[in-house]
Amino acid sequence: MRRGFWVKSYPFIVIAIVSLLVGGAINGFFLYNDVKIKDKPNKKLATPLFFEKEVKDLPEIQEPEGFDWRQFDGVTINMITENTPPSIALAANIWRFEAVTGIKINMELDNLGTVIDKTGLDMNAAAAKYQIIYADPYQILPQYDKGFVDLHKFNDDPKLPHVPGGLGDFIQNQLNVVSYMGNKDKLLTLPYDASTMLLAYRKDVFEKYKDSFMAEHGYDWTPGPNLSWDQYYEIGKWINEKAANGTITEVKYGIGHQAKRGDSLMNDFSNILAANGGDYVEMSNIEQGKSATAAASAMKSDAVLQSVRFYRKLIKIAAPESISWDWTQLADAFANGDLAMAPEWHDFSALFEDKTKSNVSGKVGWAILPKGKKGYANSFGGTGLAINKYASEKEQKAAWLFLIWATAPQTQYMLLQSTTGGSTPTRYSVYALPDIQKDLQDGTPDSKKLPNLLPMKAAFEAWKDENTYVRPKIPQWQQANMLIFTELSKMLLNKQTPEETVRSIARKSNEALGKKE
């Protein structure tokens, strides 16, 4: 797939390639010259209904001639979603959609495990308690894809509004991950968020003690593309020692991790496993972002064993609380000022810059995760919004209007500026805006206005295909995921060795996949 950046050009379907020169780091990530951004012609613009101020050059929300936005007035739509910063920001702005349409949106925010459980109960009962579902592409989409509406049904309906800018305005490799299963015949979700694991670090600490570290170890320790996982370990250990003897007073520990038994542990370990060339299952017909057939466990390779050994060693020098932290608790510890570095989801940037909740505002830098033996691997956790096929036709259409609004470029631009949570867009057109390009420039006054943009220089690098880690999209992933983090947790609690951990994961994974040893 070719890379670069697309922006819409009025009035026809014309694509202009935009080069984002953010310190040279984006490096042409956004070139997709086989993709077009489309606005359906001959439609009335509806954007002014939802927003006080229109943003020039963003694809508009459009409506068919004579369309009545209040035709579903009084309909109640229940949406279940993970309690992520993007969802928190969206929840604070739902009144805008409700005021225009008369549709009531009940947004239920919960931890991912609960979202998965409640979605499973709803799908298995064909009850449609939730008409809109936060369809995690690894643990919900592969399991329940047959329970979601093919959104082409609505996007191709001439009597309904269509996706503003067309599907080509969504970042394409992310669209592939969150919206399709196996092929592109069915559009199962619209991309909603783009959570990506990056390295958050304390700029003040790394600047102040840079020369001291270099004098002892002989290399520039600044987080970035040149940093390896071995060096990350060495730096973390050095900071621990200096903090313990009082030389470094700004932080308590060099590193912190989200190593609590659960999804957080699996994601945290995956960054190292994939960077070393390992993975959880062997796949056939695999393509980035698409589901595939799982052939067998891949947890028997030397790369896997070395990764497991290294991860155990790494957690031993991390903040002791790491084995009880998930991503939210890790973010709180970092915001409190306890840690010099932490692999963390980039959505937490707004928290770190919130002076009412954080002690590190203005002191945080972001970098791509360290490199392993085979390269970089930044876990991608973006998700799309799906519509429950068991909902009534009226509910489905009301839900479609909400999906159009919630994922529209103008809405994403609004949430980008939110101080309540916040998210980074899944749309090319938003990043192409002149003011956003200015805000992406490091060290400028503009760059401090939007804390959600601070990680984006690193995120653009992480979003390149070769730097992104996408977990297996297979129906058995829920079961495989649970046994992976369970066995890793046993190891971290000194209940088994790395060798025993690898053998157990491989054996149990093959059982889950129906493969014989």
Side-chain angles (χ1 to χ4, degrees), residues 170-204:
F170 290 112
I171 297 171
Q172 293 298 290
N173 55 1
Q174 296 177 8
L175 177 73
N176 289 341
V177 174
V178 307
S179 297
Y180 301 112
M181 277 297 299
N183 57 56
K184 295 185 178 181
D185 293 342
K186 293 182 178 181
L187 177 69
L188 298 172
T189 76
L190 293 186
Y192 170 61
D193 60 23
S195 300
T196 304
M197 288 195 78
L198 300 173
L199 184 62
Y201 67 96
R202 286 283 297 277
K203 293 188 297 184
D204 55 327

Side-chain angles (χ1 to χ4, degrees), residues 244 273 298 334:
L273 173 68
F334 190 87

Side-chain angles (χ1 to χ4, degrees), residues 46-101:
T47 300
L49 296 174
F50 295 97
F51 307 98
E52 293 89 352
K53 182 181 178 182
E54 295 180 63
V55 179
K56 184 181 178 181
D57 294 332
L58 284 181
E60 302 267 14
I61 297 176
Q62 300 179 340
E63 63 187 40
E65 191 66 35
F67 185 78
D68 179 11
W69 283 96
R70 297 193 70 86
Q71 63 185 284
F72 304 116
D73 189 0
V75 172
T76 295
I77 297 297
N78 297 319
M79 171 180 170
I80 188 166
T81 177
E82 186 181 1
N83 52 354
T84 60
S87 290
I88 292 169
L90 185 66
N93 286 278
I94 277 180
W95 63 270
R96 299 174 184 274
F97 175 80
E98 293 177 331
V100 172
T101 65

Side-chain angles (χ1 to χ4, degrees), residues 208-240:
K208 183 175 180 178
Y209 301 101
K210 177 179 178 178
D211 292 341
S212 297
F213 181 85
M214 184 174 287
E216 291 188 34
H217 292 278
Y219 63 88
D220 184 353
W221 72 343
T222 306
N226 293 326
L227 193 70
S228 70
W229 278 111
D230 288 334
Q231 291 171 328
Y232 171 84
Y233 172 87
E234 186 173 51
I235 293 167
K237 189 175 181 181
W238 189 87
I239 293 176
N240 284 350

